[in-house]
Amino acid sequence: MKSEKDSKAMPNAHLHDLFVDELRDILGAERQLLKGLKKMADKAVGENLKNAFTAHHAETEEQIERLKQVFASIDLSARGKKCKAMEGLLNEAEEIMEEFEGDEALDAALIAAAQKVEHYEIATYGCLVTYATLMQHEEARGLLQTTLDQEKDTDSKLTEIAMSEANVAA
Ligand SMILES: [Fe+2]
């Protein structure tokens, strides 16, 4: 009785499945990233970079909790799926860590790997904010925007560190 009315009540309902699929992808990605950030924090030489990775690890845990709230806000259980893009980005990060082990450019290489991850996340959260806006999922939109802002801040911070130390020859 209510189904037809409800399906019309949500604007841009055709985006629903895509929205959920992208949410599952980024939940998987964030979980995969936790391990990667730990390793990057271990490998980083500069104190600022080490701290930035450690801080972002804590933020990533928050982001996972926030994603669970997003799922709850649309009455779905939080389920992630393996993110192939994140897997690839983290494999490359591993490679670059091995290649630049003991090299002066190691921190710069770690920053490059981390910024590629951030840009992937920024693209995904950006799309999710757009879909939530179009479907008028207000609560989800606010939560996703908070994470998007955090990812952008992390990206800027990494650029700052790169400019201030990692890429400057001692
Ligand atoms: Fe994240």
Side-chain angles (χ1 to χ4, degrees):
M1 181 178 180
K2 59 173 200 172
S3 63
E4 195 177 304
K5 204 173 173 197
D6 276 5
S7 67
K8 290 203 173 123
M10 183 171 73
N12 293 294
H14 68 289
L15 292 174
H16 177 77
D17 289 353
L18 179 62
F19 183 62
V20 174
D21 199 68
E22 292 286 339
L23 282 174
R24 291 191 170 137
D25 175 272
I26 198 70
L27 178 57
E30 296 287 16
R31 285 175 170 155
Q32 289 160 243
L33 179 57
L34 282 176
K35 216 170 144 193
L37 279 169
K38 217 165 203 130
K39 190 147 195 198
M40 288 192 240
D42 283 346
K43 295 272 173 182
V45 179
E47 211 50 42
N48 280 341
L49 185 57
K50 213 178 247 308
N51 292 340
F53 286 143
T54 305
H56 197 53
H57 184 277
E59 270 179 356
T60 299
E61 284 177 332
E62 265 175 45
Q63 292 172 354
I64 290 170
E65 290 311 307
R66 212 174 280 124
L67 280 170
K68 290 180 187 169
Q69 292 171 35
V70 172
F71 277 101
S73 78
I74 54 170
D75 293 323
L76 287 177
S77 55
R79 227 171 358 108
K81 67 171 189 182
K82 185 178 191 178
C83 173
K84 290 180 193 156
M86 184 60 77
E87 188 181 34
L89 288 166
L90 292 175
N91 282 342
E92 285 198 2
E94 286 277 342
E95 263 175 38
I96 214 166
M97 280 186 250
E98 277 170 33
E99 200 176 325
F100 286 87
E101 179 89 62
D103 192 290
E104 262 184 320
L106 177 63
D107 277 4
L110 286 169
I111 289 174
Q115 285 192 300
K116 288 178 189 184
V117 167
E118 288 312 309
H119 284 229
Y120 177 76
E121 294 189 307
I122 288 166
T124 304
Y125 282 112
C127 289
L128 284 167
V129 167
T130 301
Y131 304 155
T133 305
L134 288 168
M135 291 187 288
Q136 296 178 9
H137 290 323
E138 257 321 294
E139 189 185 349
R141 192 204 56 76
L143 291 161
L144 292 163
Q145 183 68 53
T146 300
T147 296
L148 177 59
D149 293 342
Q150 268 184 346
E151 305 290 22
K152 286 182 180 171
D153 283 350
T154 299
D155 182 50
S156 306
K157 193 166 184 195
L158 289 169
T159 299
E160 260 172 50
I161 296 173
M163 292 301 288
S164 67
E165 43 196 291
N167 289 337
V168 179

